[in-house]
Amino acid sequence: MQTYILGLIAAFIVTIATVPIVIILAKKWGFVDKPDHRKVHKGNMPRIGGIAIMIGVAAGVAVLWPQLGEAKDDMLFLVGGALILATVGLVDDKFALGAKTKFGGQTLAAICAASSGIRIEYIQIPFVGNLEFGILSFLVTVLWIVAIINSVNLIDGLDGLAAGVTTIAVLTMLVMALGHPIAYASVIVLSLSLLGSTTGFLLYNFYPAKIFMGDTGSMFLGYAMAIISMMGLFKSVTMFSLIVPLLILAVPLIDTTFAVIRRTLNHQSIGTADKGHLHHCLLAMGFGHRKTVLIIYGISFLFGGVAVLFSQTANWVSLVFLVVILFGILMFAEGIGLIGKQRKPLRKALGKMQLVKRYE
């Protein structure tokens, strides 16, 4: 346990020490995020904080390397995928790559990771049993990694949002893995390293931020979470091994799903940027920057707690929870306008509440 704590501290300290250097280099080399009609910040901001996150994670893994066991053999492929994403992210943060080019880089990184021994070979469906993917496991793994990468990338719209949501998700996975420290040693190592790095980065990234993580950081965080979930959650003995990771990563996945639905209904390309994401809707209601982020943190904690509950309760109890949660998600999304362009009754009501508080 002392060794694990050292890994966490190493990732935390290295990230804190690296961020100021990255800020200087970002400004010097022109890696800055300029404000536009979609963004809420003012003035140019250094935007390659993801480099500090990656260096922090590397430091944590280096300290905990002996604890990885057999997973050491897979690390070469995983590092290769991370380096591909870092390259694509840096180029995008500098020159703003097109959606297809970014998708190609993400797919290449996912293929690199899937070439290791870490794959989604099956899922366990409630009351049915195992669904084996067989030769399709490689494709399923690539799709999962790309989906999580893009989900985290899309929610990175406010100071501290992506880093905080990732921290909560990783913390949830860590809590579940600590119950089986020998079987999930690699999950614990990567989770602690990522946890130390993201919390260290949040000291600079929470509102008002001094640096953004950029696509370099958001894509890496999505990649890392996808890898950790495949190492542990999909191989869990619970009958809900598919639902648990979906719950833990619910906030970015839900936001991405409704973005696709919204853009399809509005006859837009699904790669077209808009201001209909969860954080945009909350801001439009009148919630401030900091409060919006804290609300989404709260939702993330809620889903994390439900995920842990799912892994501990009987199947029928979990199924009831699932139905209630899905109904609540649909009502909430419809209410705040996540699906369409129209201002919904719930969104109006909450907006008026905020205006009243503001003028009291």
Side-chain angles (χ1 to χ4, degrees):
M1 183 58 67
Q2 290 179 341
T3 304
Y4 282 142
I5 294 175
L6 286 176
L8 174 70
I9 294 174
F12 181 75
I13 292 177
V14 169
T15 302
I16 291 176
T18 306
V19 170
I21 300 173
V22 173
I23 291 176
I24 294 172
L25 294 178
K27 292 179 179 178
K28 180 179 179 180
W29 294 335
F31 286 93
V32 294
D33 193 351
K34 300 177 181 179
D36 60 28
H37 68 285
R38 288 188 61 253
K39 299 171 183 176
V40 297
H41 68 278
K42 299 178 180 179
N44 296 338
M45 287 285 292
R47 62 180 303 183
I48 52 173
I51 296 299
I53 294 175
M54 296 177 72
I55 293 174
V57 171
V61 171
V63 171
L64 298 175
W65 184 260
Q67 310 298 321
L68 281 172
E70 296 179 358
K72 293 176 183 176
D73 298 333
D74 302 322
M75 291 306 295
L76 182 61
F77 291 96
L78 301 182
V79 171
L83 291 176
I84 291 172
L85 283 180
T87 302
V88 174
L90 281 172
V91 175
D92 183 56
D93 286 335
K94 178 67 175 179
F95 302 107
L97 295 173
K100 292 182 179 179
T101 304
K102 285 173 60 177
F103 181 78
Q106 294 165 0
T107 303
L108 186 59
I111 290 173
C112 189
S115 299
S116 69
I118 302 171
R119 294 186 191 176
I120 303 175
E121 298 176 348
Y122 66 90
I123 57 173
Q124 294 175 321
I125 302 176
F127 312 107
V128 176
N130 290 355
L131 174 61
E132 302 283 347
F133 291 121
I135 60 174
L136 295 178
S137 64
F138 188 91
L139 177 61
V140 172
T141 300
V142 170
L143 292 175
W144 173 254
I145 295 173
V146 172
I148 303 303
I149 289 173
N150 279 287
S151 296
V152 178
N153 187 233
L154 285 175
I155 67 166
D156 184 28
L158 294 179
D159 297 356
L161 183 55
V165 169
T166 300
T167 299
I168 296 167
V170 172
L171 182 61
T172 305
M173 289 188 276
L174 177 62
V175 168
M176 299 179 72
L178 286 174
H180 308 277
I182 297 177
Y184 297 126
S186 58
V187 175
I188 295 173
V189 168
L190 292 180
S191 296
L192 284 172
S193 300
L194 196 61
L195 191 62
S197 185
T198 53
T199 51
F201 183 71
L202 274 171
L203 296 179
Y204 298 92
N205 185 238
F206 194 74
Y207 183 80
K210 298 179 178 66
I211 186 173
F212 294 159
M213 67 173 63
D215 280 0
T216 310
S218 60
M219 290 197 297
F220 172 73
L221 291 183
Y223 176 79
M225 286 203 295
I227 296 300
I228 294 172
S229 67
M230 290 190 299
M231 284 181 164
L233 299 175
F234 280 107
K235 296 181 180 179
S236 171
V237 295
T238 174
M239 286 292 287
F240 288 86
S241 63
L242 171 63
I243 297 173
V244 168
L246 293 179
L247 281 171
I248 293 173
L249 303 170
V251 169
L253 287 174
I254 290 171
D255 194 46
T256 301
T257 300
F258 283 120
V260 172
I261 295 173
R262 180 177 63 251
R263 292 167 189 175
T264 301
L265 292 175
N266 292 334
H267 306 290
Q268 296 176 318
S269 167
I270 60 174
T272 302
D274 61 22
K275 296 192 72 171
H277 291 287
L278 175 58
H279 55 276
H280 290 132
C281 291
L282 292 174
L283 287 172
M285 291 178 193
F287 291 103
H289 194 128
R290 187 189 298 267
K291 187 175 289 187
T292 294
V293 172
L294 292 176
I295 288 172
I296 298 176
Y297 282 3
I299 296 172
S300 298
F301 269 117
L302 174 62
F303 277 115
V306 172
V308 174
L309 183 63
F310 258 70
S311 66
Q312 302 295 323
T313 57
N315 291 339
W316 68 270
V317 176
S318 298
L319 189 61
V320 172
F321 270 110
L322 179 62
V323 172
V324 173
I325 290 168
L326 289 176
F327 180 76
I329 290 171
L330 288 174
M331 293 298 294
F332 180 75
E334 176 70 9
I336 68 172
L338 267 179
I339 299 177
K341 296 186 295 185
Q342 299 301 314
R343 193 173 179 84
K344 305 299 177 182
L346 174 61
R347 187 171 173 177
K348 285 183 179 180
L350 290 175
K352 288 180 179 178
M353 289 172 58
Q354 289 303 305
L355 288 174
V356 169
K357 290 180 181 179
R358 185 174 296 177
Y359 289 106
E360 283 180 347

